[in-house]
Amino acid sequence: MTGPLPDVVIGSGPAGVSVATALLARGRPVVMLDGGRDLPAEAEAQRSALAATPPEGWSKAQRNAWQAGQFDAAGAEVRRFGTGYAMEPAEATFAEADGLALRASLAVGGLSNFWGSAMLPYRQEDMTGWPISAADLAPHYAAVMDFVPMAGVEDALAPLFPALPMAGRSPILPGPQARAVLARHRPSARFRMGLARQAVASGCKGCGMCLHGCPWRLIWSARDQVARLRQQGGLDHRPGAPVVSIVESGSDAVVYRADGTAIRGARAYLAAGVLGSAAILLRSLPGMRELTMADSAQGFLPTIQTVRTDGAPDRVPFHTLPQIFAELSDPAVSPHTVHAQLYGWNEYYERDLRANHGRKIPFSGPIWRALSRRLVVAQIFLHSAHSAQVRLGLAEDGRLQADVRPNPQTLDHLKAAAAAMGRQLRLSGLQPLTFALRPGAVGSGFHAGSTLPMAVAAGAGQSDVLGRPAGWQRLHVVDSSILPAIPATTITLAVMANAHRIGAYNPS
Ligand SMILES: Cc1cc2nc3c(=O)[nH]c(=O)nc-3n(C[C@H](O)[C@H](O)[C@H](O)COP(=O)(O)OP(=O)(O)OC[C@H]3O[C@@H](n4cnc5c(N)ncnc54)[C@H](O)[C@@H]3O)c2cc1C
Ligand code: SF4
């Protein structure tokens, strides 16, 4: 290659496309590497056939066929578009990972192909002691919002999240359950609710297939931005053999791939997701045998809607993404924000109720159907200070070895958060079933990171504010690995803003 050396971005997920967008805006040539997995042709054909007909024209068989992939999946495996291609099976990533539900991705676009699209910035109140502030991230949230669609409205959440102004934006049609809850909500200093902010483009058809893959691809994926950057020019996307390690050589960074090839760049920006990046760092940082990962614990609190709603929640048009965000700022529960996402009806509720209780009570089908229409489930997230940690090392075969260190206080914090949240939800017509609170496995919320936390001056096991491990000049880690902690509010928007901040900085 002639001309200036490019910058090499490892990963095309939300972090990778954000840093690449900032680098390209600075006029830097960018080579982007990723694991190259993409939607299989058969699934893409099924998707485009579905998208060719309005939802009213779909047959029951078509609906069932689109949902079958996820319904047939084993255990907690996530599938969208009928396939699990964007999430690696545990055994591909780990030699051992007992009790850890977090998974890696080798897909173009990473885990954002399968995600829930909930978006919030981090609050300054949850960044105490960080070497960067909410103000440092603010312009980069704005830059990210230039290429990520955002559905939502300006409402009672606005004072908590000034970095994400919603004026002029449109929401996805809220369901009747959400409308009834928000109509009764009286925001206070301790508790605020508003419509969820989702990375979803306008034009939602209300087909209710969000948890199976949007046939119109309206739910944003980083894959969309890869395509856009390639079209605009400047991005050399080279999907394929995974990256194994990185070394600094003189004034270059050299990136080694599993097929034995090497790519020389002016700088390397590591955005392989917290697990992918951990494996690469453990192979690249001399003397680094172990990294400690932080998780944001989550659990599900079912509630029963006790008030009338102005329609059935399962009648089209409807969506099954989070409907409402609820934020609890109660020092008696936590010094940090407790975040919850409220989900209205979806096709899993009745199936779960029948599977768990139906067999014990003959002819009870109509009861479970009626109950499922009254269910609203709050997914509650805690700050990582109250959550488990995971030690990550390398096994002899090169896979990760994960050792989960539970936090003995997590369950108590989750119960306290559910009780406090439940008291507030009751005022809006939701009766919390706190006895049925279901804590998730470690990593099951997919909000994890902090393996190489940023510090003002990077010491061992830390990075500087540009994501550079101690002693390194040309390797910048830009994904959730470098967050100093994992606040409860959603992770991806903050990761993207931080990656964009690092890419926008001109180090030369
Ligand atoms: C089911 C589900 C729901 C979620 N819902 C939400 C939500 O509602 N809100 C939210 O904020 N977050 C959510 N998340 C989390 C969100 O998806 C992640 O935070 C986000 O995708 C992380 O972005 P990333 O770019 O750091 O990594 P990833 O998305 O994991 O992307 C990693 C990239 O690196 C590449 N890669 C990995 N290893 C290598 C290697 N060795 N060599 C080369 N390339 C490599 C991959 O191909 C991929 O392109 C959800 C996740 C899941 C699974
Ligand atoms: S309801 Fe969900 S799947 Fe259907 S169009 Fe809207 S975002 Fe896409």
Side-chain angles (χ1 to χ4, degrees):
M1 184 184 293
T2 54
L5 278 179
D7 288 328
V8 182
V9 172
I10 299 135
S12 59
V17 298
S18 301
V19 72
T21 300
L23 292 168
L24 289 164
R26 281 205 288 117
R28 295 289 308 145
V30 174
V31 171
M32 177 179 275
L33 310 176
D34 63 32
R37 301 218 202 289
D38 212 346
L39 191 62
E42 202 183 311
E44 172 56 20
Q46 201 186 355
R47 181 202 68 74
S48 63
L50 213 54
T53 314
E56 310 81 72
W58 294 348
S59 66
K60 197 157 187 235
Q62 267 178 307
R63 274 189 169 269
N64 289 348
W66 194 237
Q67 297 182 342
Q70 180 62 72
F71 285 149
D72 294 347
E77 186 192 343
V78 180
R79 290 189 193 166
R80 300 283 186 264
F81 309 101
T83 126
Y85 79 97
M87 191 178 286
E88 293 298 292
E91 59 277 14
T93 309
F94 301 104
E96 194 181 320
D98 280 354
L100 180 64
L102 189 67
R103 297 289 176 263
S105 177
L106 283 176
V108 179
L111 291 173
S112 67
N113 291 289
F114 284 9
W115 75 323
S117 78
M119 289 284 238
L120 279 178
Y122 285 163
R123 302 180 63 205
Q124 180 58 52
E125 289 81 344
D126 293 321
M127 296 171 69
T128 312
W130 290 31
I132 58 163
S133 67
D136 293 326
L137 290 178
H140 304 286
Y141 287 122
V144 168
M145 299 319 303
D146 276 349
F147 65 87
V148 178
M150 182 71 77
V153 284
E154 185 94 346
D155 58 16
L157 295 179
L160 299 184
F161 302 105
L164 186 61
M166 296 303 292
R169 298 192 182 270
S170 304
I172 323 180
L173 189 69
Q177 293 173 300
R179 290 199 295 271
V181 171
L182 291 177
R184 285 167 178 76
H185 177 51
R186 301 287 169 267
S188 68
R190 288 203 172 164
F191 186 68
R192 283 179 176 265
M193 288 196 284
L195 274 186
R197 280 78 163 127
Q198 306 104 337
V200 177
S202 61
C204 171
K205 319 272 188 240
C207 72
M209 288 291 188
C210 319
L211 300 179
H212 304 278
C214 177
W216 291 273
R217 286 195 173 282
L218 298 176
I219 300 175
W220 182 82
S221 155
R223 184 181 180 272
D224 305 345
Q225 183 66 358
V226 175
R228 193 161 150 191
L229 294 176
R230 286 181 63 172
Q231 203 176 22
Q232 286 170 0
L235 181 71
D236 177 0
H237 180 214
R238 300 187 202 169
V243 168
V244 178
S245 62
I246 302 165
V247 297
E248 285 191 346
S249 160
S251 59
D252 307 342
V254 187
V255 178
Y256 292 94
R257 300 180 93 177
D259 60 3
T261 59
I263 296 170
R264 194 169 284 274
R267 288 173 185 274
Y269 292 85
L270 183 55
V274 63
L275 295 174
S277 292
I280 294 169
L281 288 169
L282 286 164
R283 289 186 211 109
S284 307
L285 302 185
M288 178 68 73
R289 300 207 180 288
E290 196 176 75
L291 295 165
T292 301
M293 181 174 73
D295 181 44
S296 160
Q298 60 93 27
F300 290 100
L301 173 67
T303 72
I304 298 288
Q305 192 151 32
T306 54
V307 295
R308 285 177 74 87
T309 59
D310 61 359
D314 54 346
R315 192 165 304 145
V316 286
F318 69 95
H319 73 85
T320 51
L321 294 168
Q323 298 264 356
I324 290 175
F325 287 163
E327 313 302 327
L328 183 74
S329 312
D330 184 347
V333 174
S334 170
H336 309 286
T337 312
V338 175
H339 166 74
Q341 300 176 180
L342 273 59
Y343 293 82
W345 184 91
N346 70 48
E347 59 283 357
Y348 290 91
Y349 292 172
E350 188 183 338
R351 285 175 74 97
D352 284 358
L353 286 167
R354 278 174 188 262
N356 291 329
H357 311 288
R359 263 182 244 113
K360 295 174 212 151
I361 312 173
F363 311 114
S364 57
I367 299 175
W368 308 124
R369 187 163 314 125
L371 193 57
S372 71
R373 289 189 180 131
R374 296 241 154 227
L375 260 186
V376 172
V377 175
Q379 183 181 22
I380 299 175
F381 287 89
L382 301 178
H383 188 278
S384 56
H386 308 309
S387 311
Q389 293 188 331
V390 182
R391 300 268 170 86
L392 295 172
L394 274 188
E396 275 179 14
D397 63 8
R399 289 179 295 168
L400 286 172
Q401 185 105 30
D403 178 12
V404 173
R405 304 289 169 101
N407 181 332
Q409 292 171 355
T410 301
L411 188 57
D412 287 346
H413 278 288
L414 199 54
K415 283 182 178 169
M421 190 80 78
R423 281 193 292 277
Q424 298 289 343
L425 294 178
R426 203 175 286 129
L427 302 175
S428 291
L430 296 176
Q431 179 62 38
L433 308 180
T434 38
F435 62 87
L437 175 69
R438 192 152 48 109
V442 175
S444 58
F446 284 85
H447 295 186
S450 294
T451 43
L452 204 69
M454 288 182 288
V456 176
Q462 295 175 321
S463 60
D464 68 8
V465 293
L466 295 177
R468 291 178 295 196
W472 288 64
Q473 289 304 311
R474 302 193 162 264
L475 167 62
H476 301 258
V477 186
V478 299
D479 57 22
S480 69
S481 312
I482 60 169
L483 296 176
I486 312 295
T489 50
T490 68
I491 189 169
T492 304
L493 180 57
V495 165
M496 293 176 77
N498 195 40
H500 189 278
R501 176 185 67 81
I502 293 172
Y505 180 80
N506 188 345
S508 53

